[in-house]
């Protein structure tokens, strides 16, 4: 005798935690555009905040702001976020909705201001790992950086972003900054003073020099320090 057409599909009877474990193995696009549309059970499971504790997004196009807001509004328990984008989106504002975030990795063409870093620090007090890579530098900025490379670490004007990190992210364990991020000596000292739990500090494409005393302090205080 043929099975009734109303018989539930076997996968809908799996425990929610097992279904979450399975669906988390899919790419985010496959979940949002495919899996959650399969059946009402998967739709319900995909709305479970447990599904969205770790996300890696590569956003491209004209709707990136809306898509990012869609994610953060439904993922208040998110622990790790890797965000790659070619557009200047309101990243810091969106992160206000992620108070439990512990890892944030930004690879972007958007140059974050000191106020942006302060917003991130205040919005995510549990943040332990921060990566910021600026993939785009204007010709004027590049010329200025190259011209001042010999005094970059001494120029307080370049250190405001680093000071913002030091003042608002005291729980950082890992910090990676690159993309001609000129933090200045005062900015670097502020990080060493303010982020006392720091175990890893990577400064990539940060032109300039370090005084021998500050260079020595970095190696003594930071377990993994690299330029």
């Amino acid at each position: 005798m043929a099975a009734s057409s109303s018989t539930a599909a076997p996968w809908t009877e799996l425990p929610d935690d097992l279904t979450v474990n399975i669906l988390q193995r899919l790419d985010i696009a496959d979940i949002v555009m495919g899996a959650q549309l399969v059946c009402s059970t998967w739709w319900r499971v995909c709305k479970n905040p447990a599904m969205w504790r770790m996300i890696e997004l590569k956003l491209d196009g004209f709707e990136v702001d809306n898509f990012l807001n869609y994610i953060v509004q439904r993922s208040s328990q998110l622990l790790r976020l890797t965000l790659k984008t070619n557009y200047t989106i309101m990243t810091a504002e969106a992160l206000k909705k992620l108070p439990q975030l512990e890892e944030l990795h930004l690879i972007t063409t958007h140059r974050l201001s000191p106020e942006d870093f302060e917003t991130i620090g205040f919005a995510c007090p549990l943040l332990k790992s921060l990566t910021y890579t600026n993939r785009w530098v204007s010709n004027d900025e590049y010329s200025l950086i190259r011209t001042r490379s010999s005094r970059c670490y001494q120029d307080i004007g370049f250190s405001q972003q680093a000071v913002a990190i030091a003042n608002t992210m005291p729980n950082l364990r890992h910090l990676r900054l690159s993309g001609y991020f000129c933090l200045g000596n005062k900015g670097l000292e502020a990080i060493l003073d303010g982020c006392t739990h720091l175990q890893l500090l990577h400064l990539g494409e940060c032109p300039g020099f370090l005084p021998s005393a500050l260079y020595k302090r970095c190696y003594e205080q930071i377990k993994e320090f690299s330029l």
Side-chain angles (χ1 to χ4, degrees), residues 34-156:
Q36 71 172 2
L37 306 178
V38 169
C39 61
S40 59
T41 299
W42 282 16
W43 174 271
R44 175 178 55 78
V45 170
C46 288
K47 302 304 178 184
N48 186 341
M51 275 288 298
W52 309 102
R53 303 301 293 275
M54 302 178 186
I55 298 179
E56 180 168 338
L57 299 178
K58 183 176 182 180
L59 302 181
D60 194 2
F62 296 100
E63 298 297 328
V64 292
D65 286 335
N66 292 336
F67 188 71
L68 181 60
N69 284 326
Y70 176 89
I71 292 296
V72 299
Q73 287 173 3
R74 291 158 176 80
S75 313
S76 61
Q77 299 183 44
L78 195 67
L79 297 179
R80 182 193 304 167
L81 175 63
T82 298
L83 183 61
K84 303 177 182 179
T85 178
N86 296 325
Y87 286 81
T88 57
I89 61 174
M90 297 300 294
T91 305
E93 289 299 315
L95 292 173
K96 288 181 178 180
K97 302 180 178 71
L98 302 174
Q100 297 188 39
L101 200 67
E102 295 183 0
E103 293 187 31
L104 176 62
H105 308 286
L106 296 173
I107 299 92
T108 177
T109 57
H110 180 39
R111 185 184 180 93
L112 296 186
S113 67
E115 292 74 21
D116 289 329
F117 282 106
E118 288 180 350
T119 299
I120 293 172
F122 289 131
C124 308
L126 303 180
L127 200 63
K128 296 179 181 178
S129 181
L130 174 67
T131 300
Y132 171 65
T133 300
N134 181 14
R135 290 295 190 189
W136 181 83
V137 178
S138 69
N139 290 333
D140 290 340
E141 287 178 311
Y142 180 79
S143 298
L144 180 62
I145 289 170
R146 297 301 297 176
T147 300
R148 295 186 176 182
S149 62
S150 63
R151 33 190 298 253
C152 178
Y153 281 98
Q154 294 179 334
D155 194 332
I156 189 172

